[in-house]
Amino acid sequence: NVNIDYLAKKELSARTLNDRERLSNELMKLSLYTNKITLNDVLTLVSKPLEDSAYELTNALLRGDITGALITYNDLTKSKKIDPVTLFMMLANQFRFIYQVNYLHDQGKHISEIMELLTAKEFRVKMANQNGKAFKNSLPKILDDLYEIDNKIKSSQIDNSLAAELFIVNFKNNYF
């Protein structure tokens, strides 16, 4: 006997990535909270998929929004308990994708061809293409720096949290 409004359904579906088990668990949690689920309830109680958070972090960095990037980083590491090493891998994947899209675009490939080659959605490819143009000269350095930081973390030369925070704080100065 629980009602859920249309926008709440859409958001819940997006946040659970249409995974039936996760959807069922989240609905159970929401139904314990209220018998009339609204969009605000879903936004408050159901966490975003990890990929969305990594995408938000990358976009904040590319906008030069260091404060927003740090807020997203803290959300990922503290409330979602994501290890900074995992976070670096996710960031590297995001920047690698932007680099791949940029490379393929420079080779004369159209968005639809890039989508097919990289098995990605149109919006993601378009955004990567746009960001790739703006950071074309910085992308190799960003990827190299992420690789170096990852090596330093894994060889215990630097604390993983410190490394992540330094990368984020210095992003605008190093790559803009």
Side-chain angles (χ1 to χ4, degrees), residues 18-170:
N18 294 318
D19 178 334
R20 287 181 187 225
E21 185 176 337
R22 183 160 181 231
L23 178 63
S24 176
N25 290 338
E26 295 297 346
L27 280 170
M28 182 72 71
K29 177 174 68 176
L30 288 162
S31 68
L32 292 172
Y33 177 72
T34 183
N35 62 354
K36 175 136 180 40
I37 301 169
T38 65
L39 175 60
N40 191 47
D41 297 330
V42 173
L43 293 173
T44 304
L45 297 173
V46 180
S47 61
K48 293 178 186 175
L50 189 55
E51 297 81 20
D52 287 356
S53 297
Y55 182 73
E56 279 182 33
L57 176 59
T58 305
N59 282 338
L61 289 171
L62 293 173
R63 285 190 315 268
D65 179 8
I66 303 307
T67 302
L70 284 171
I71 289 169
T72 303
Y73 167 77
N74 284 326
D75 178 51
L76 285 166
T77 56
K78 293 190 176 46
S79 45
K80 293 186 182 174
K81 300 189 183 343
I82 303 300
D83 181 60
V85 174
T86 303
L87 182 63
F88 273 106
M89 182 185 70
M90 291 168 31
L91 274 175
N93 287 339
Q94 292 284 344
F95 284 111
R96 191 176 305 109
F97 181 79
I98 294 169
Y99 184 81
Q100 290 170 330
V101 169
N102 189 261
Y103 175 80
L104 291 170
H105 186 265
D106 286 351
Q107 297 300 311
K109 304 284 186 206
H110 296 284
I111 297 292
S112 58
E113 293 173 292
I114 297 170
M115 288 169 48
E116 188 176 324
L117 286 168
L118 299 178
T119 59
K121 294 183 179 180
E122 182 177 5
F123 178 77
R124 184 172 184 223
V125 171
K126 283 183 176 181
M127 290 304 296
N129 187 41
Q130 181 180 346
N131 290 328
K133 288 177 185 175
F135 285 86
K136 187 175 188 168
N137 296 329
S138 299
L139 284 170
K141 180 164 175 33
I142 292 169
L143 290 169
D144 285 345
D145 288 351
L146 285 168
Y147 173 77
E148 288 298 320
I149 292 167
D150 185 53
N151 278 339
K152 287 180 181 178
I153 289 171
K154 288 178 179 172
S155 63
S156 300
Q157 293 177 25
I158 190 168
D159 176 72
N160 54 10
S161 294
L162 176 63
E165 290 171 7
L166 287 173
F167 178 79
I168 292 169
V169 168
N170 291 317

